[in-house]
Each structure stands twice: as structure tokens, then as C-alpha cells.
Amino acid sequence: MPKQDRSRATRQRLLAAAVACLAERGWAGSTVSVVAERAGVSRGAAQHHFPTREDLFTAAVEYVAEERSDALRALFPQGATGDRRAVVTALVALYTGPLFRAALHLWVAASNEEQLRSRVTELEARVGRESHRIAVELLGADESAPGVRETVQGLLDMARGLGLANLLTDDVGRRERVVTQWAGLLDDALG
């Protein structure tokens, strides 16, 4: 394997390990050494790719967010499906998985660590804009109509709330009822 490909593979292993560690152990339990061990690389190799802990974890959440966006688009390769319930279900799934849990740990750490806050704020703004854009596209929403932008943002905020609730208990039945209700509300609001 060429050196560049090995380097890329090492970087991707580190990013995946960082997200898994953050989701499982939180910020306090996720060190560069722990991530390097999980990725099967030396601490020095990890620091070669990511000089600081903040570099590693913000890059990891950004990387997986991009992968998540690609996966969401792959679920609906033709774009808007007309099946809003399927779209709402897929969007809610983004907020109930390990990436959201990892991002949440990063947000909490950023609320207490000034050097991390600006990076996480910028990252969250980018991820939020991309999630909104994808939701508009998949729902076939016309944001020039009054209230549509707010309705789509309300959907994403609701999905985030379900993701927060999921951290403590897995209430699948309640979540499915909420998804069904929101799909109906979107059908009424978006036409």
C-alpha cells in the first residue's frame, strides 16, 4: 500500500476510534492515548495526524458528520421521495446514534473549555446548515413559502430533542408516534 494510502487509512481509523471513544467514554475518558490504542496506532502517529486533543475530536465529529450526510443522501438517491415519514425517520435516526452522543459530549466539554468552544461552535454551525439543506432537499420543501424554513428547522430541533431523550432511555414507541405526528404536520405544512 502506498504511503499516502496508509496515512489516509491511519487517519480514518483514528477518526472512527475518536468518535467511538467520545460516545462511550465522554470527554473526560477520551484521551489521545486511548484513541490511539483503540485505532491500533502509536500515540506518536496519532499526534502526527492531530497535534492536539481538540484537533482530533473536532476533526472526528466533522468527518463522521460528512459520512452521515453522505449516508442520508444514499438512502434517498432520487432526492425527495414524497414519503415524508421515511425522511423524518431517517433524520431522527441521525440524532439517536453514536455520532450525536459523541457530538453532545464535545458540546458539553466546549461549554467549559474556552479553547474548544469556538471550534465546536463553528463546526456545529456548519453541520447544522448542512443538515437543514439536506432536510429541505429530501422533504421537497419550498423555503420561499412563509413558515417553511421554520417548519424544517422545527423538525431538526425536535429530532435533536428526541436524541437527547434517547441518551437516558430508549423510548422507541414514543419516538415512532412523534415521527408519525411530525410527518403528518409536514404533509399539511409543506403541501
Side-chain angles (χ1 to χ4, degrees), residues 19 22-23 61 98-108 120 124:
V19 169
L22 200 54
V61 173
L99 174 64
F100 180 75
R101 183 178 292 269
L104 184 60
H105 284 293
L106 198 58
W107 297 342
V108 170
V120 172
E124 176 57 24

Side-chain angles (χ1 to χ4, degrees), residues 7-187:
S7 178
R8 188 177 303 118
T10 298
R11 181 179 168 84
Q12 288 177 332
R13 282 198 322 273
L14 284 164
L15 293 172
V19 169
C21 286
L22 200 54
E24 293 168 9
R25 298 169 173 244
W27 178 254
S30 298
T31 64
V32 174
S33 295
V34 168
V35 170
E37 182 178 329
R38 184 174 187 136
V41 303
S42 69
R43 188 176 198 285
Q47 288 186 308
H48 168 76
H49 288 279
F50 304 100
T52 69
R53 181 180 186 206
E54 292 79 12
D55 291 336
L56 173 61
F57 288 104
T58 54
V61 173
E62 183 171 24
Y63 168 77
V64 178
E66 290 169 6
E67 293 291 310
R68 182 181 71 174
S69 294
D70 291 345
L72 184 58
R73 281 193 199 92
L75 290 174
F76 304 99
Q78 268 50 48
T81 65
D83 182 356
R84 291 207 171 105
R85 188 180 195 299
V87 172
V88 173
T89 298
L91 289 169
V92 166
L94 295 178
Y95 291 95
T96 55
L99 174 64
F100 180 75
R101 183 178 292 269
L104 184 60
H105 284 293
L106 198 58
W107 297 342
V108 170
S111 72
N112 296 314
E113 296 192 25
E114 190 62 39
Q115 66 189 39
L116 189 57
R117 184 176 301 141
S118 64
R119 296 177 75 174
V120 172
T121 302
E122 178 187 320
L123 172 62
E124 176 57 24
R126 266 196 329 259
V127 169
R129 282 190 302 271
E130 178 68 5
S131 296
H132 186 93
R133 193 179 66 67
I134 291 170
V136 165
E137 177 185 315
L138 293 177
L139 292 167
D142 176 7
E143 286 195 297
S144 67
V148 169
R149 179 170 184 69
E150 294 77 10
T151 300
V152 172
Q153 190 57 51
L155 164 64
L156 295 172
D157 291 344
M158 178 275 305
R160 186 179 296 116
L162 290 174
L164 285 170
N166 192 61
L167 290 174
L168 298 176
T169 61
D170 185 11
D171 190 1
V172 174
R174 179 178 156 274
R175 189 166 57 242
E176 287 180 5
R177 290 189 303 276
V178 171
V179 165
T180 298
Q181 179 68 22
W182 262 92
L185 292 171
L186 288 169
D187 282 339

